[in-house]
Amino acid sequence: MAPIRFPSVSQRLNHIALLVGIASMMSPVGCRTVPTNPSAAVDALFAESESEAAPGAAIIVIDDGVVLKKSAYGMAEIERAVPFETDTSTRLGSVSKQFTAMAIMILEEEGRLDYDDPITRFLPELSRFGDEITIRQLLNHTGGLPDYYDVIVEVTGVERPLTRHALDVYSEWGEPRFAPGERYEYSNPGYELLALIVEKASGEVFGEFVEERIFAPLGMTSSVVLDDRNPKLAKRAYGYRLDGDGFALNDDDPLNYLVGSGSIYSSVEDLYRWDQALYGEQLVSKASLAEAFSPARLNSGEPYAYEFGWRFDEHLGRRRIAHAGSWVGFRTFIGRYVDDRFSVIVLTNLAEADPEGLADTIAALYLADSDKPNRPTATLIENASVLDGTGAAAQNVSVRFVGDRIVEVGKLAASPRDRVVDAAGMVLAPGFIDTHSHADADIFEQPDALAAISQGITSAVVGQDGESNFPLRDFFTRLERERTAINFASYAGFGSIRREVMGEDFRRPAMPEEIEQMRAHLREEMAAGARGLATGLEYDPGIYSSREEVLALASEAASLGGRYISHVRSEDRWFWEAIDEIIDIGRKTGMPVQISHIKLALRRNLGKADRLIEILEAARASGVDITADIYPYTYWQSTLTVLFPDRDFENRETAEFALSQITTPEGAHLGVYKPNPEYVGKTLREISDMRGTDPATTLMDLIREAQAYQERTGETDIESVIATSMDEVDIERLMNWPHTNLCTDGDLVASHPRGFGSYPRFLGRYVRERKIMDLPTAVHKSSGLAATHLGLRDRGVIRPGMKADFVLFDPNRVLDHATPEAPQALSVGIEKVWVNGEIVFEDGGATGRRPGQIIRW
């Protein structure tokens, strides 16, 4: 089907900006007065969706049984101009799981099953997996069964799989991923098996049971289970996705008829009845509900925040039980603040929508405006020059946020509920997003992340250069437990996965079976929340990989909706071939690809930035979504060994080439050198003079001594070098490429000044002093553009619905002070930094607050 087109591009941009929150599509902040009435403010969020050519949404806000707001916006079916209404049946996606769980709860109360029954009691076809997996473990996603979605059509030979085919697959395919109860891993197939258990225990078709035992008693007349009975829906929404400058129908999929994990259609009016029933005993007893709304426990006794189709979290300082849904062109969310008996439900029919973000914003508006105890405090930043992160000119407007969400932007008057911050005319910008960070190396020793927050960074993207915290789920769990001042997102590191599979035998291309093992690990990392695949092809062990091997892993990430970022295979000798490789990956996978810390670092390539940009623009013109990030220094930091791409560390010719064509003895400083710490900060020339050897010999000797030290002590990170290679003209040209965003490539205990100084240096030296671009563009490259390059929907732009990450800075003072000799010197001009609505930096230091969140894919 051809995509539906808007009458104008600007109309589409405004619609997407408000409904979805995609930073790259945000229109400039207007100067209109935004109403402080919550209902009107919610309508303002959806104002631009009132179009006959735009998907829509329905929302409901419930306070102790009273409907505070019930509204619908946009189209349920664009082709026939059918409007979205509050009784429009919308595909719920995984919000359906709570109904599957309720069906199990009903049967448990009737004594027809027990939560701790082995699933083989009802599904003996699964005996090959043993008798240890219980119904409870399927309910809380700890069963350990593999995901069969990739193979179900192939194994069953049917084009419209139904849930019963799960047994056909599992009877002959797949091995357990982990011992039952060992860990949590979200499982759609687990809930599809629960639907089969409902059928076996009740003797009824799952859809009939749910409709007769849940929907009918509650009067949910717009709700139905889509299955092979082909039920009719009187009024339904159709799903859509973005397609070029319009929308395309995205409503059908062979897996649409797998029940239990999804497949339920409902409306916000019906979900009101469902929400209210969960406070009473219309379906099951309060004791059963209390069990459903209590965190589960692993075999180890460790609790985790999921049970019976609900996740548990805290928002606006309140306990919340919630669930999101996502399938084809539908995105949904239900959030219940149970202690307040307050709920927000958002249903949308656009694949790129962010209903949870919208629900968070709506909840913040109403709870801050309510008379409930402990209502969240609103903060109003006034008298600011707001650069919203889109590249638009500054606006003299105010910004109000509640909890971790921006709720209003415009000409706002302070109200008694506001905590007022006077920006004194300084620039308020979205928090800077560091797309290439190594902050994960030190975050648990430096949880306040002073190096980052002191330069305005609120989010760090790690897993770079192919090295990630494997397995990622453990890293994220620890971050959430120990708390940090900044947000974290992560790629899955190709090198980390390769080392896990190949061990120390990595100095060769991988075998086909090893590639398959790597693909399996990558799927696990993506399931844990990785944004895609990161490679460091100039480093061990990635340097030994073949192009085919990298492409295989990149294709796997692409199939899961991920992205690709790479420290390319060579930044000097074979640079142009390395650029060809990343373009080829983008072309063959169709996913976005990004060049890490783009640079020209070989003497004969200096001055060729225009040639590089021409190649990249040609790739983009051919359909490859290739971008880059960059840090504002002429000197890089890596290991001494990276100067020897063939790892021939005794090759004098290679050493001499490195010290003449890549850097110089005078331009290479040691950042770390554990065998002899007095060498740190000295150049290779100075060390050569001290040792009485020529620079090439010194370089080879230093590597040999570092390797011996590592073998003797078992320590890592033995040595590093900071080397000058790049040319300022090239750097400025690459910075100005419209598809380059800023980054640091730094850590939190920096030996390179980029760890403490990148963003103030960019804003002070390059923008204010050298005037290489205007300030709105510079802020865009540090925030909104970075968010776009990462696929972030709710950060990077100052707009209602976005996360409250801000940096307040003085554009006339902002400047870096960090140098190679004093790499941890703090910058000046950064006045305040907020992360998720909490101030983490002010008065020149960290506040000690640690509101950082995990940004999962």
Side-chain angles (χ1 to χ4, degrees), residues 447-460:
D448 290 336
L450 181 62
I453 60 176
S454 64
Q455 52 179 312
I457 295 168
T458 56
S459 299

Side-chain angles (χ1 to χ4, degrees), residues 63 316-318 339-340 367-368 370-377:
D63 185 9
L316 300 171
R318 288 163 156 75
D339 296 332
D340 298 286
L367 288 173
S370 75
D371 293 324
K372 288 185 177 295
N374 303 315
R375 72 181 186 182
T377 301

